[in-house]
Amino acid sequence: MAMEDVKQLVRELLEEVKSLEAKLDEVVKPLEETSSTIPMASGSLEDVIKFTEQSVHQIMGIINDLMKELEKVQEDVDFLLSLNPVSSIRSRLESIKERSKKLSELLLQVITLMSFQDLASQQIKRVIEVLDNIKKTILKIVLSSIEASSLSIEQKEKIVGKATEMLTGDRIFQEDVDKLLEELGL
């Protein structure tokens, strides 16, 4: 093989390395962005679920208290009506009874509408699952790139072991992903 052939081969090899570096940059940047964005999104969604659940429970408690008070008003009105009051007072008491009944119906409608929280929580939990699956997919990509890398066998085994440990868990925590990416130099 002539010296020119060797030089040409080295040039081609350098071009391949540059091309590979460019492809790695294309993967690393979205990976870095995703690895920081997904956990924040998951955490924010979990916070939304907790906040809405707490708020709905508080609102439901208040509504239950209102319903009890309306029942007492109904009882008082019924008692006063049983005393056979004069017609003008009877008319007012019957009006109060009707408004009280209407308020009870409206509160029941509010309780029914509050069921949105449960449905919203279910949908948010599905989104969190999707985000976790995306994180797992990213880790699998990282694993396959580790296996193709020039790291020592010991380094590969260590990183693959940690990544596999993360993949087999129910949840993947950002700190674990960050450590793994740091060990990869990403």
Side-chain angles (χ1 to χ4, degrees), residues 54-167:
Q54 289 171 350
S55 297
V56 166
H57 288 298
Q58 289 174 342
I59 292 168
M60 296 298 273
I62 292 169
I63 290 173
N64 285 331
D65 291 345
L66 288 170
M67 295 290 279
K68 289 176 187 172
E69 290 300 316
L70 281 172
E71 286 174 15
K72 290 177 186 175
V73 168
Q74 288 279 12
E75 290 170 6
D76 289 346
V77 168
D78 287 340
F79 172 75
L80 292 172
L81 284 170
S82 73
L83 297 176
N84 204 12
V86 291
S87 65
S88 63
I89 292 175
R90 175 177 286 288
S91 172
R92 292 277 180 144
L93 287 172
E94 287 175 357
S95 175
I96 291 170
K97 186 174 181 172
E98 285 303 311
R99 281 191 241 136
S100 175
K101 193 175 187 180
K102 179 67 176 170
L103 287 172
S104 293
E105 291 169 4
L106 290 171
L107 288 172
L108 285 173
Q109 287 179 4
V110 170
I111 288 172
T112 302
L113 292 172
M114 293 303 292
S115 65
F116 82 90
Q117 187 277 329
D118 185 47
L119 296 173
S121 290
Q122 290 174 18
Q123 290 177 340
I124 291 172
K125 286 176 183 175
R126 283 190 211 119
V127 170
I128 291 171
E129 287 175 20
V130 168
L131 292 173
D132 283 341
N133 287 336
I134 290 171
K135 287 196 286 187
K136 288 178 181 180
T137 301
I138 290 171
L139 279 173
K140 287 177 184 176
I141 292 169
V142 168
L143 283 175
S144 59
S145 68
I146 290 168
E147 291 171 8
S149 73
S150 62
L151 295 171
S152 72
I153 293 174
E154 292 165 349
Q155 288 174 314
K156 286 181 184 180
E157 287 175 355
K158 182 179 176 185
I159 295 170
V160 168
K162 287 182 182 182
T164 303
E165 189 177 299
M166 285 188 279
L167 286 173

Side-chain angles (χ1 to χ4, degrees), residues 22-34:
K23 288 178 183 176
L24 267 172
D25 286 342
E26 290 173 17
V27 171
V28 168
K29 187 174 180 179
L31 184 62
E32 287 173 343
E33 291 171 1
T34 305

Side-chain angles (χ1 to χ4, degrees), residues 5-66:
D5 290 337
V6 171
K7 286 181 183 180
Q8 181 61 30
L9 221 113
V10 168
R11 278 189 215 113
E12 289 174 8
L13 192 58
L14 283 173
E15 286 177 29
E16 285 297 318
V17 168
K18 286 180 186 178
S19 172
L20 184 59
E21 284 177 346
K23 288 178 183 176
L24 267 172
D25 286 342
E26 290 173 17
V27 171
V28 168
K29 187 174 180 179
L31 184 62
E32 287 173 343
E33 291 171 1
T34 305
S35 69
S36 65
T37 305
I38 289 176
M40 289 185 331
S42 293
S44 295
L45 292 174
E46 288 169 356
D47 291 343
V48 167
I49 290 172
K50 287 177 189 173
F51 176 75
T52 58
E53 284 176 351
Q54 289 171 350
S55 297
V56 166
H57 288 298
Q58 289 174 342
I59 292 168
M60 296 298 273
I62 292 169
I63 290 173
N64 285 331
D65 291 345
L66 288 170

